[in-house]
Amino acid sequence: MTKEFLHFVIMMGAAKTVCLVGIFLALSLCCSSPIAHGQLTDPQEVAALLAVRSNLNDPYKHLNWTKKYDPCTSNWTGVICFLNNTDGYMHVQELRLLKMNLSGKLAPELGQLPFMKRLDFLWNHISGSIPKEIGNITALELLLLSGNQLSGPLPDELGYLPNLTKFQLDLNMISGPIPRSFANLAKVQHFHMNNNKFSGQIPPEISTLPLLKHFLLDNNNLSGYLPPELSQMPKLTILQLDNNNFSGSVIPDSYGNFSNLLKLSLTNCSLQGKMPDLSGIRGLLYLDLGMNQLTGEITSKRLSENITTIVLSHNKLNGSIPSNFSGFSRLQKLYLDDNLLSGFVPSNIWENINFTSETRLDINFAGNLLSDISGILNIPSNVTLKLNGNPVCANSIQHNISLLCGPYNGTQEALNSLNKPESTCPPQSCPIKNYFEYVPTLPDACFCAAPFGVGIRLRSPSISNFPPYREDFDAWITSNVHAKPNIPLYLYQLSVDSIKWEPGPRLRMFLLFFPEYTNDSNAFDPSEVRAIADTFATFTIPGDDTFGPYDLLNFTAQGPYSDILLPSLSRSSGLSKGALAASIIGSLICASAILVCTLIFFRKLRQRSQAEVVGNQLVPKVPMKMDGVKAFSFENLQLATNNFSVNAQIGQGGYGKVYRGTLADGIDVAIKRAQQGSIQGDKQFYTEIEMLSRVHHRNLVSLVGYCDDEDEQILVYEFMPNGSLHDLLSARYRAPLNFGTRLHIALGAARGILYLHTEADPPIIHRDIKANNILLDAKWTAKVSDFGISRLAPVSDAKGVTTAHVSTNVKGTPGYVDPEYFLTHKLTEKSDVYSLGIVFLELLTGMQPISHGRNIVREVNTACHSGMMFSIIDRSMGPHPSDCVKELMALALRCCLDETKDRPTMLEVVRELENISSMLPEPESTALELNLNTSSSGNSVRSAPSSSLYDRRSTYVSMDLPGGDLVSGVIPPIKPR
Ligand SMILES: *[C@@H]1O[C@H](CO)[C@@H](O)[C@H](O)[C@H]1NC(C)=O
Ligand SMILES: *[C@@H]1O[C@H](CO)[C@@H](O)[C@H](O)[C@H]1NC(C)=O
């Protein structure tokens, strides 16, 4: 018996065992399943649900709840159940009735659903009071009643819910005091009770709650004093009490002692006295004490370095503006208007801010007694500063500040706007059905897909300007929302479609989720839509310090998703009895389990015997058919290259030699022949070909075919008549290249690499970008070559098994290697950005990356810093537009920054190059049929999955072995934060 056969028999045995176990499990499931027994919802709960139903009005007939069918097994709208193995009944675990236009009252019988964990009547029109019986639902974790017309007081009984974590009653008309019994809610983390009519004193006992994080009571009629004890709450991050009337109360000094507070918002609370020293709140991000009667100086020695918002408007604060108000690096809003502040207008508040196009700082000092300006006011364009109504405005001519002294019109517009991502995908390219939208991610790549919409509102964000935080937001949402279990979404699957600031301030947003890009579907599966909806509805997204808690407003499930979230109303007509149907389904599951097992068994058998026939290795010798890639015989290629004559040879590398050849049909090709003795394993060779055959882009050299004869392994590529950029720039072949052509080459190379980073699946990090690997076709179009072609090194162990290695040794071409990769061995797309930056420098200067021991980056930096930039520009470039040259130089140097995070992404590189070429004077840009906006990906209208640090896909990398040969490997996916 051969080893293979033995292996075969063992495998068959294993398959059989698995199947038998599977059948056994399937059968036992059938026999023990409550469905098969016709087990149903606990009758007490059925009665309770019917009572709940009879108290509701359902004008749009969303609820299909009728006595005829069982709630749990016939899918009553919004009723989510589980099976309790102890009593054998199904129990209601969740009532999810979000935004169904329901009115009427909450029935006391809700208290008879003791297993319910989540009670959700968000955004309906329920009126009346909250029944005290809800206090009996011991399992209750989430009580979600926001956005109704509930009134009356809160029953004390709600304070005894031992498992409650989220208490969400905002936007109702609930009155009366906050019951002291709430101090018993040992697990509660969220009190969202804003916008009601609560009155009376905040019970100091609340401060004993060990886990409370968010205490939102703004917009009520609370009075009395602010309990000093609140500062002892170990977990409290948000205290928001705006628009209450604590008439005559002070802000207790202890409020400077909050250990974890991020946001303190006490606008318009009739507070008096001095501002406490808040220096002790180390992480404070947002402070609003505006519209009170605070007096005295602003004493805080030092507010938290990360603070985004300071509002102290409309008080009676005096003294000077503290010098420590400068130096915040994330400040977005500083309002000190309408106080009695005197002294100097500080001129350095923004000195630590690293401005980008989305950063804004809005400063309002209007209506104070400021009389002079310290230093010179040099206001960046991202900053608005208002000084009107200050004595300093009398000197406005001297200080040249008359603009700052005009009437205040603020930057509300800027704060509210969201730069929608550049969408260059024409919407009309999508199919007729109007629910399809394209995902705008990359300029050259769009796809049509049906989005699933989720409306949310950030209830108490710790920022005042969203755009700079957009990437953080996208990362937060995509890494925590799941369409498939435990798999985060790609960044390109989320589009923040609109944002709007509302009073609070709260931030309303509409999120669009797009399905993962695949070739065979442009919509989510129903299970994926449900999974996304569940994540939001169960509030399982972990909180974020910056964005705070969110309200769920709505789901927009149109087009292919319209039936998914609402059970269809006609459903009930088809069923005779839920239980009967269920048991039929149960038997079907059993039967199909057995059938599937049988099929797997036979397929294994067949596959195995085919493999046996083909050869003694399991790898099939005949590779799968690959689009556009031909298999050549060795004789074909001998003929094409005049028997691999020395005259036909055009290059040589560690892997072997490259020949120019002409195929029988007259097409010129480059033929890469592996050296004898370095033949790689079959499987890897095919993997390579298969991968290359899938990578198609006009800026990538394409694979024409391959030869796999006897001891030969040969790859055949399209021929590049203009050779490599290296040859072109090096002295020997020097042909004058004007700036337009150089820019065209730079852009082509960048687009090719961008494709590898973002559209190739799995993405590829080239890792050996250099002038030698950028080839030029007859029209001077740059084509990147040698991506993962990887002479796979023959690392064979004793048994002749070949394995691919991912070397941790940093290999690459000296002068092009990313210094951070060199130090940390961490390879990212930005390593290619660095190498491409070096190529740009070569294009501009004609220098080699390293020559006479001098490094091109240092040389160029030195020249630029001493104002000698134009002295190092390649003379043979001829006349050139200096603006464009400067821009390209700046871009190149940014690509070559030491720190990965400081470099632009390849997408940004491409965008910037496109910008520069749009600045080119006409004759230059048209000279070469630049055709810059041509999409390379042809017919499909879609968006490329945009790759980034948050991308969860594994990334294909080509890497060197210590011996200098390339191997391919897959590096583990980079985890989202
Ligand atoms: C703040 O905390 C410190 C140390 O816990 C304590 O000594 C001090 O008295 C507290 N201040 C106030 C005003 O409660
Ligand atoms: C400010 O933010 C940075 C970056 O998020 C963080 O490392 C630092 O600890 C923060 N500082 C404080 C005082 O929380």
Coordinates of all heavy atoms in Angstrom, one line a residue, residues 566-620:
L566 N -38.8 44.4 8.4 CA -40.2 44.3 8.8 C -40.7 42.9 8.3 O -40.5 42.6 7.1 CB -41.0 45.3 8.1 CG -41.0 46.8 8.6 CD1 -41.8 47.7 7.8 CD2 -41.4 46.8 10.1
P567 N -41.3 42.2 9.1 CA -41.8 40.9 8.6 C -42.9 41.2 7.6 O -43.6 42.2 7.8 CB -42.4 40.3 9.9 CG -42.1 41.1 11.0 CD -41.6 42.4 10.5
S568 N -43.0 40.5 6.6 CA -44.0 40.8 5.6 C -45.4 40.6 6.1 O -45.7 39.7 6.9 CB -43.8 40.0 4.3 OG -44.5 38.8 4.4
L569 N -46.3 41.5 5.7 CA -47.6 41.5 6.3 C -48.4 40.4 5.8 O -49.4 40.0 6.4 CB -48.3 42.9 6.1 CG -47.5 44.0 6.7 CD1 -48.1 45.3 6.4 CD2 -47.4 43.8 8.2
S570 N -48.1 39.9 4.7 CA -48.9 38.8 4.1 C -48.5 37.5 4.6 O -49.1 36.5 4.4 CB -48.8 38.8 2.6 OG -47.4 38.8 2.2
R571 N -47.4 37.5 5.4 CA -46.8 36.2 5.8 C -47.9 35.3 6.4 O -47.9 34.1 6.1 CB -45.7 36.5 6.8 CG -45.5 35.3 7.8 CD -44.9 35.8 9.0 NE -43.7 36.6 8.8 CZ -42.5 36.1 8.5 NH1 -42.4 34.8 8.4 NH2 -41.5 36.8 8.3
S572 N -48.7 35.8 7.3 CA -49.5 35.0 8.1 C -50.5 34.1 7.3 O -50.9 33.0 7.6 CB -50.3 35.8 9.1 OG -50.5 37.1 8.7
S573 N -50.9 34.7 6.1 CA -51.9 34.0 5.3 C -51.4 32.6 4.9 O -52.2 31.7 4.8 CB -52.3 34.8 4.1 OG -51.1 35.0 3.4
G574 N -50.1 32.4 4.7 CA -49.6 31.2 4.1 C -49.6 30.1 5.1 O -49.6 28.9 4.7
L575 N -49.5 30.4 6.4 CA -49.2 29.4 7.4 C -50.5 28.8 8.0 O -51.4 29.6 8.3 CB -48.4 29.9 8.5 CG -47.0 30.4 8.1 CD1 -46.2 30.9 9.3 CD2 -46.2 29.3 7.4
S576 N -50.6 27.6 8.1 CA -51.7 27.0 8.9 C -51.5 27.2 10.3 O -52.3 27.6 11.1 CB -52.0 25.6 8.5 OG -50.9 24.8 8.9
K577 N -50.3 26.7 10.8 CA -50.0 26.8 12.2 C -48.5 26.9 12.3 O -47.8 26.1 11.7 CB -50.5 25.6 12.9 CG -50.4 25.9 14.4 CD -51.4 25.0 15.2 CE -51.3 25.5 16.6 NZ -51.7 25.0 17.7
G578 N -48.1 28.0 13.0 CA -46.6 28.2 13.1 C -45.9 26.9 13.5 O -44.9 26.6 12.9
A579 N -46.4 26.3 14.5 CA -45.6 25.1 15.0 C -45.5 24.0 14.0 O -44.5 23.4 13.8 CB -46.3 24.6 16.2
L580 N -46.6 23.8 13.2 CA -46.6 22.8 12.2 C -45.5 23.1 11.2 O -44.6 22.3 10.8 CB -47.9 22.7 11.6 CG -48.0 21.7 10.4 CD1 -47.7 20.3 10.9 CD2 -49.4 21.7 9.8
A581 N -45.6 24.4 10.7 CA -44.6 24.8 9.7 C -43.2 24.6 10.3 O -42.3 24.1 9.6 CB -44.8 26.3 9.4
A582 N -43.0 25.0 11.5 CA -41.7 24.9 12.1 C -41.2 23.5 12.1 O -40.0 23.2 11.9 CB -41.7 25.5 13.5
S583 N -42.1 22.5 12.4 CA -41.6 21.2 12.5 C -41.3 20.6 11.1 O -40.4 19.8 11.0 CB -42.6 20.3 13.3 OG -43.8 20.3 12.7
I584 N -42.1 21.1 10.1 CA -41.7 20.7 8.8 C -40.3 21.2 8.4 O -39.5 20.5 7.9 CB -42.8 21.2 7.8 CG1 -44.1 20.6 8.0 CG2 -42.3 21.0 6.4 CD1 -45.2 21.2 7.2
I585 N -40.1 22.5 8.8 CA -38.8 23.0 8.5 C -37.7 22.2 9.2 O -36.7 21.9 8.7 CB -38.7 24.5 8.9 CG1 -39.6 25.3 8.0 CG2 -37.3 25.1 8.9 CD1 -39.9 26.7 8.5
G586 N -38.1 21.9 10.5 CA -37.1 21.1 11.3 C -36.8 19.8 10.6 O -35.6 19.5 10.4
S587 N -37.7 19.1 10.1 CA -37.4 17.8 9.4 C -36.6 18.1 8.1 O -35.7 17.3 7.8 CB -38.7 17.1 9.0 OG -39.8 17.5 9.8
L588 N -37.0 19.2 7.5 CA -36.2 19.5 6.3 C -34.7 19.7 6.6 O -33.8 19.2 5.9 CB -36.8 20.7 5.6 CG -38.0 20.5 4.8 CD1 -38.6 21.8 4.2 CD2 -37.8 19.4 3.6
I589 N -34.5 20.4 7.7 CA -33.1 20.6 8.1 C -32.4 19.3 8.3 O -31.3 19.1 7.9 CB -33.1 21.5 9.4 CG1 -33.5 22.9 9.0 CG2 -31.7 21.6 10.0 CD1 -33.7 23.8 10.2
C590 N -33.1 18.4 9.0 CA -32.5 17.1 9.3 C -32.2 16.4 8.0 O -31.1 15.9 7.8 CB -33.5 16.2 10.1 SG -33.8 16.9 11.7
A591 N -33.1 16.4 7.1 CA -32.9 15.7 5.9 C -31.8 16.3 5.1 O -30.9 15.6 4.6 CB -34.2 15.7 5.1
S592 N -31.8 17.6 5.0 CA -30.7 18.2 4.2 C -29.4 18.0 4.8 O -28.4 17.9 4.2 CB -31.0 19.6 3.9 OG -31.6 20.3 5.0
A593 N -29.3 18.0 6.2 CA -28.0 17.8 6.8 C -27.5 16.4 6.4 O -26.3 16.3 6.0 CB -28.2 17.8 8.3
I594 N -28.3 15.4 6.4 CA -27.9 14.1 5.9 C -27.4 14.1 4.5 O -26.4 13.6 4.1 CB -29.0 13.1 6.2 CG1 -29.3 13.0 7.7 CG2 -28.6 11.7 5.6 CD1 -30.6 12.3 8.0
L595 N -28.2 14.8 3.7 CA -27.9 14.8 2.2 C -26.6 15.5 2.0 O -25.8 15.1 1.2 CB -29.1 15.6 1.5 CG -29.0 15.6 0.0 CD1 -29.2 14.1 -0.5 CD2 -30.1 16.5 -0.6
V596 N -26.4 16.7 2.6 CA -25.2 17.5 2.4 C -24.0 16.6 2.8 O -23.0 16.5 2.1 CB -25.2 18.8 3.3 CG1 -23.9 19.4 3.3 CG2 -26.2 19.7 2.6
C597 N -24.1 15.9 3.9 CA -23.0 15.1 4.3 C -22.7 14.0 3.3 O -21.5 13.8 3.0 CB -23.4 14.4 5.6 SG -22.5 15.1 7.0
T598 N -23.7 13.4 2.8 CA -23.5 12.4 1.8 C -22.8 13.0 0.5 O -21.9 12.4 0.0 CB -24.9 11.9 1.3 OG1 -25.7 11.7 2.5 CG2 -24.7 10.6 0.6
L599 N -23.3 14.2 0.1 CA -22.7 14.8 -1.1 C -21.2 15.1 -0.8 O -20.3 14.8 -1.6 CB -23.4 16.1 -1.4 CG -24.8 15.8 -2.0 CD1 -25.4 17.2 -2.3 CD2 -24.6 15.0 -3.3
I600 N -20.9 15.7 0.4 CA -19.5 16.0 0.6 C -18.7 14.7 0.5 O -17.6 14.7 -0.1 CB -19.4 16.6 2.0 CG1 -20.0 18.0 2.0 CG2 -17.9 16.7 2.5 CD1 -20.1 18.6 3.4
F601 N -19.2 13.7 1.1 CA -18.5 12.4 1.1 C -18.1 12.0 -0.3 O -17.0 11.6 -0.6 CB -19.4 11.4 1.8 CG -18.7 10.1 2.1 CD1 -17.8 10.0 3.1 CD2 -19.1 9.0 1.3 CE1 -17.2 8.8 3.3 CE2 -18.4 7.8 1.5 CZ -17.5 7.7 2.5
F602 N -19.1 12.0 -1.2 CA -18.9 11.6 -2.5 C -18.0 12.5 -3.3 O -17.2 12.1 -4.1 CB -20.2 11.3 -3.2 CG -20.8 10.0 -2.9 CD1 -21.9 10.0 -2.0 CD2 -20.2 8.8 -3.3 CE1 -22.5 8.7 -1.7 CE2 -20.8 7.6 -2.9 CZ -21.9 7.6 -2.1
R603 N -18.1 13.8 -3.0 CA -17.3 14.7 -3.8 C -15.8 14.5 -3.4 O -14.9 14.5 -4.2 CB -17.7 16.1 -3.5 CG -18.7 16.6 -4.5 CD -19.0 18.1 -4.4 NE -17.7 18.8 -4.6 CZ -17.6 20.1 -4.4 NH1 -18.6 20.8 -3.9 NH2 -16.5 20.7 -4.6
K604 N -15.6 14.3 -2.1 CA -14.2 14.0 -1.7 C -13.7 12.8 -2.4 O -12.6 12.8 -2.9 CB -14.2 13.7 -0.1 CG -14.3 15.0 0.7 CD -13.0 15.1 1.5 CE -13.0 16.2 2.5 NZ -13.1 17.6 2.0
L605 N -14.5 11.8 -2.5 CA -14.1 10.6 -3.1 C -13.7 10.9 -4.6 O -12.6 10.4 -5.0 CB -15.3 9.6 -3.1 CG -15.0 8.2 -3.5 CD1 -14.1 7.5 -2.4 CD2 -16.3 7.4 -3.5
R606 N -14.5 11.6 -5.3 CA -14.3 11.9 -6.7 C -13.0 12.7 -6.9 O -12.2 12.4 -7.7 CB -15.5 12.6 -7.3 CG -16.6 11.6 -7.6 CD -17.6 12.3 -8.4 NE -17.0 13.0 -9.5 CZ -17.8 13.8 -10.3 NH1 -19.0 13.9 -10.2 NH2 -17.2 14.5 -11.3
Q607 N -13.0 13.8 -6.1 CA -11.8 14.7 -6.2 C -10.5 13.9 -6.0 O -9.6 14.0 -6.7 CB -11.8 15.8 -5.1 CG -12.7 16.9 -5.5 CD -12.9 17.8 -4.3 OE1 -12.3 17.6 -3.3 NE2 -13.7 18.9 -4.5
R608 N -10.6 13.1 -5.0 CA -9.4 12.3 -4.6 C -9.0 11.5 -5.8 O -7.8 11.4 -6.2 CB -9.7 11.5 -3.4 CG -8.6 10.7 -2.9 CD -7.5 11.7 -2.4 NE -6.2 11.0 -2.4 CZ -5.1 11.4 -1.9 NH1 -5.1 12.6 -1.3 NH2 -4.0 10.7 -1.9
S609 N -9.9 10.8 -6.4 CA -9.5 9.8 -7.4 C -9.0 10.6 -8.7 O -8.1 10.1 -9.3 CB -10.6 8.8 -7.8 OG -11.8 9.5 -7.8
Q610 N -9.6 11.7 -8.9 CA -9.0 12.5 -10.0 C -7.6 12.9 -9.8 O -6.7 12.8 -10.7 CB -9.8 13.8 -10.2 CG -11.0 13.6 -11.1 CD -11.9 14.8 -11.2 OE1 -11.5 15.8 -10.6 NE2 -12.9 14.7 -12.0
A611 N -7.3 13.3 -8.6 CA -6.0 13.7 -8.3 C -5.0 12.5 -8.4 O -3.9 12.7 -8.9 CB -5.9 14.3 -6.8
E612 N -5.5 11.4 -8.0 CA -4.7 10.2 -8.2 C -4.3 9.9 -9.6 O -3.2 9.5 -9.9 CB -5.4 9.0 -7.6 CG -5.6 9.0 -6.1 CD -4.3 8.8 -5.4 OE1 -3.5 7.9 -5.8 OE2 -4.0 9.6 -4.5
V613 N -5.3 10.1 -10.5 CA -5.1 9.8 -11.9 C -4.0 10.8 -12.5 O -3.2 10.4 -13.2 CB -6.4 9.9 -12.7 CG1 -6.2 9.9 -14.2 CG2 -7.4 8.9 -12.2
V614 N -4.2 12.1 -12.1 CA -3.3 13.1 -12.7 C -1.8 12.9 -12.3 O -1.0 13.0 -13.2 CB -3.8 14.5 -12.2 CG1 -2.7 15.5 -12.6 CG2 -5.1 14.8 -12.9
G615 N -1.6 12.5 -11.1 CA -0.1 12.4 -10.8 C 0.0 12.0 -9.4 O -1.0 11.9 -8.6
N616 N 1.2 11.8 -9.0 CA 1.3 11.4 -7.6 C 1.4 12.6 -6.6 O 1.5 12.4 -5.4 CB 2.5 10.5 -7.4 CG 3.8 11.1 -7.9 OD1 3.8 12.3 -8.3 ND2 4.9 10.4 -8.0
Q617 N 1.4 13.8 -7.2 CA 1.3 14.9 -6.2 C -0.2 15.4 -6.2 O -0.9 15.2 -7.2 CB 2.2 16.1 -6.7 CG 3.6 15.8 -6.6 CD 4.5 17.0 -6.8 OE1 4.0 18.0 -7.1 NE2 5.7 16.9 -6.5
L618 N -0.6 16.0 -5.2 CA -1.9 16.5 -5.1 C -2.2 17.7 -6.0 O -3.3 18.0 -6.4 CB -2.3 16.8 -3.7 CG -2.9 15.5 -3.0 CD1 -3.2 15.8 -1.5 CD2 -4.1 15.0 -3.7
V619 N -1.1 18.4 -6.3 CA -1.3 19.6 -7.1 C -1.6 19.2 -8.5 O -0.8 18.4 -9.1 CB 0.0 20.5 -7.1 CG1 -0.2 21.7 -7.9 CG2 0.4 20.8 -5.7
P620 N -2.7 19.6 -9.1 CA -2.9 19.3 -10.5 C -1.9 19.9 -11.4 O -1.4 21.0 -11.2 CB -4.3 19.9 -10.8 CG -4.5 20.9 -9.8 CD -3.7 20.6 -8.6

